[in-house]
Amino acid sequence: KGNFMYHDPCHTPMKLQDPMKTVKALVGDGVVKSERCCGESGTLGVTRPDISTQIRFRKEEEIRKAESTLRAQGTQGDLKILTSCPSCLQGLSRYGDDLQNGLLEADYIVVEMARQILGENWMPDYVARANAGGIERVLV
């Protein structure tokens, strides 16, 4: 599938190896890297909305270019942007309503991994197992 963009958080990087190597190993080769900051780190969006808005505008431009690249490669359907950072996830989630055609859903990369490896119902299945046998039995 080529329905993914990976947002490499500038403040919480996966730097033991090239992040794209890790991401592609987890979700496949059809991933485009999105490098610009989303403007949500710490309290930037609250304390300096003027700067954060400009950063957000540039990030949106980058996302649209990545969408064009993925569409040119034959990708159809909604696109998802993955990250490993809670602040970035919050910020990237704001793009969903702004971009047309159901372009973007933001999620954690580990959630997408769980969905692909364990199936669409991974979360309800996990909760049911934890409730039935305790969290310790699910994790081991």
Side-chain angles (χ1 to χ4, degrees):
K1 294 179 183 179
N3 291 28
F4 300 103
M5 292 177 224
Y6 172 68
H7 171 74
D8 189 15
C10 46
H11 54 281
T12 57
M14 293 190 295
K15 296 298 182 193
L16 295 177
Q17 68 176 347
D18 175 26
M20 288 305 290
K21 181 177 180 184
T22 303
V23 172
K24 287 181 178 190
L26 298 173
V27 296
D29 287 331
V31 180
V32 174
K33 187 174 183 180
S34 180
E35 296 189 71
R36 282 197 176 274
C37 179
C38 64
E40 294 294 328
S41 178
T43 59
L44 179 64
V46 176
T47 59
R48 291 302 306 264
D50 55 328
I51 295 172
S52 182
T53 299
Q54 287 302 310
I55 293 171
R56 185 179 189 278
F57 175 75
R58 295 225 169 101
K59 181 67 174 184
E60 187 172 339
E61 286 179 328
E62 181 189 56
I63 289 171
R64 288 185 187 277
K65 286 179 187 174
E67 178 201 13
S68 295
T69 299
L70 289 167
R71 300 287 185 214
Q73 294 171 353
T75 298
Q76 298 177 353
D78 294 348
L79 300 179
K80 189 178 273 192
I81 190 161
L82 305 173
T83 188
S84 59
C85 171
S87 293
C88 294
L89 181 62
Q90 179 182 350
L92 294 168
S93 295
R94 296 178 187 180
Y95 293 97
D97 292 335
D98 290 349
L99 300 173
Q100 56 200 345
N101 302 322
L103 168 63
L104 197 65
E105 176 186 346
D107 212 343
Y108 289 116
I109 190 166
V110 294
V111 171
E112 184 60 30
M113 287 169 44
R115 190 185 70 71
Q116 288 193 18
I117 294 168
L118 303 173
E120 291 292 333
N121 291 323
W122 73 271
M123 179 64 94
D125 293 347
Y126 172 82
V127 171
R129 288 177 58 206
N131 287 338
I135 190 78
E136 300 85 8
R137 296 190 72 83
V138 174
L139 295 176
V140 289

